[in-house]
Amino acid sequence: MALLGVNIDHVATVRQARRTDEPDPVWAAVEAELGGADGITFHLREDRRHINDRDARVLKETVGVKLNMEMAIADEIVDIAADLKPEQCTLVPERREEVTTEGGLDVVRHSQRVAKAVERLREAGIVVNAFIEPDEDQLRASADVGFHGVELWTGAYAHAKSPDQIETALSDLLRGIETGQELKLEMLGGHGLTYRNIAPIAALDGFSEFNIGHSIVARACFVGMREAVTEMKRLLTLHASASAGAQARPGDGNTRAGR
Ligand code: PXP
C-alpha cells in the first residue's frame, strides 16, 4: 500500500491570512503524525507566502516521520535545504503569480541547473525527487540528472471533466509508472488528490507514496487534522488492493475528478 505524505502548507496559509501565530503548521504536523501520516511535506516558497524559515526549522526538529521539503531550484532555497537536511527534497517549478504549483518541472529544458541542485542536495545526504508530468522525455531526463525518484503530477487526472479525460489521465500515469520503474526511479504521486477522487489512483500499481495537502487541510477544518489523516489512510488501504488500473466510472462518487 502506498504511503501518505501530508502537505501542511495551507495550515500556514490560514495563519498568514492574519499574519499572526496561529494555526501553527508544526502543531498540524504533529496531529497528522498522530493520525497516521507516513510523512510531512512542506513547501518553502521563495516568496514565503505560507511556510516560513522558522516553520522549516521547527518542523525539522519536531517531525518524527519522513520530512519532505518541496522547493524551487533557486540558489537561496537550495542553500537552506542543504543546511536543514530534510530526509527528502522534491524539486518543483515555482512561479510567483500561481495559486499553487501548476504542472511539473521541465527537467529537459533546465537540465543543467537541475543537475547542479540535485548534486548539491545529494552531497548533503538528501533523497531528491523531481515533480514532473508523466512524460517519457521528462522521466528519462530525471533519471539522467540523478534524481532518486519522481513525483508524478496527478493534476491532469484531478482536473479531468469527463470519463474519457479521466481514462486518458489514468493511462498516462500508468505508462509513466512503467517507464519510471524501468529507469529504476522511485514513483510517487500528488496534486489535486481528494477523498472523492483518490480511489482509482490508489488502485494503480506502482506508486509508493502520495503527497496530499489541500483536501486534507480542508477536511481538517471540520473533523480535525488527526481524524482527517486517519480517513485518508483508510481510503488508501481500502482501495489499494483493487485491480491495478481500475478506471473511474461516471457518476461514481468515489471517482469524481476535480474535487
Ligand atoms: N505534490 C507537490 C509536488 C505539490 O507541489 C503539491 C502542492 O503543494 C502537492 C503535492 C499537494 O497538492 P494538493 O494540495 O493539491 O493536495
Side-chain angles (χ1 to χ4, degrees), residues 157 163 166-175 177-178 198-207 210 239-249 255:
Y157 164 74
I166 291 172
E167 204 169 315
T168 303
L170 284 171
S171 46
D172 287 350
L173 287 167
L174 206 50
R175 208 167 326 110
I177 290 170
E178 283 163 12
I198 191 67
I201 289 276
L204 293 180
D205 261 348
F207 279 127
F210 297 111
H239 297 291
S241 58
S243 62
Q247 299 297 293
R249 281 163 296 152
T255 58

Side-chain angles (χ1 to χ4, degrees), residues 152-169:
L152 292 184
W153 178 70
T154 51
Y157 164 74
H159 302 145
K161 296 278 182 272
S162 69
D164 276 359
Q165 286 179 3
I166 291 172
E167 204 169 315
T168 303

Side-chain angles (χ1 to χ4, degrees), residues 41-157:
T41 293
F42 68 97
H43 185 171
L44 185 69
R45 296 185 75 103
E46 285 183 88
D47 63 9
R48 309 298 199 270
R49 69 169 71 155
H50 38 49
I51 295 290
N52 60 33
D53 299 64
R54 167 268 177 199
D55 300 333
R57 237 178 9 255
V58 185
L59 283 168
K60 167 70 183 178
E61 287 168 8
T62 310
V63 168
V65 290
K66 179 167 81 173
L67 187 63
N68 173 40
M69 175 171 165
E70 287 179 13
M71 52 181 282
I73 50 174
D75 289 344
E76 181 218 354
I77 303 291
V78 174
D79 285 348
I80 291 172
D83 198 34
L84 187 73
K85 297 189 185 1
E87 274 172 274
Q88 182 177 296
C89 285
T90 305
L91 304 193
V92 303
E94 199 175 294
R95 288 190 297 121
R96 284 195 187 221
E97 62 275 23
E98 69 192 0
V99 175
T100 183
T101 310
E102 288 163 1
L105 184 66
D106 192 341
V107 181
V108 174
R109 183 157 174 220
H110 303 295
S111 65
Q112 287 189 348
R113 277 178 63 211
V114 173
K116 222 174 100 207
V118 172
E119 189 185 0
R120 179 93 200 281
L121 296 167
R122 285 188 73 122
E123 275 169 15
I126 300 167
V127 170
V128 196
N129 294 337
F131 182 53
I132 58 166
E133 288 168 36
D135 171 88
E136 182 169 347
D137 291 343
Q138 296 295 342
L139 281 152
R140 292 196 182 283
S142 298
D144 287 348
V145 299
F147 282 107
H148 293 95
V150 296
E151 180 178 326
L152 292 184
W153 178 70
T154 51
Y157 164 74

Side-chain angles (χ1 to χ4, degrees), residues 192-210:
L193 299 177
T194 70
Y195 297 87
R196 288 190 171 101
N197 70 19
I198 191 67
I201 289 276
L204 293 180
D205 261 348
F207 279 127
S208 61
E209 188 172 323
F210 297 111

Side-chain angles (χ1 to χ4, degrees), residues 11-30:
V11 175
T13 301
V14 175
R15 177 189 62 192
Q16 294 315 107
R18 284 296 179 91
R19 297 194 172 75
T20 176
D21 58 2
E22 63 179 6
D24 188 337
V26 181
W27 286 27
V30 173

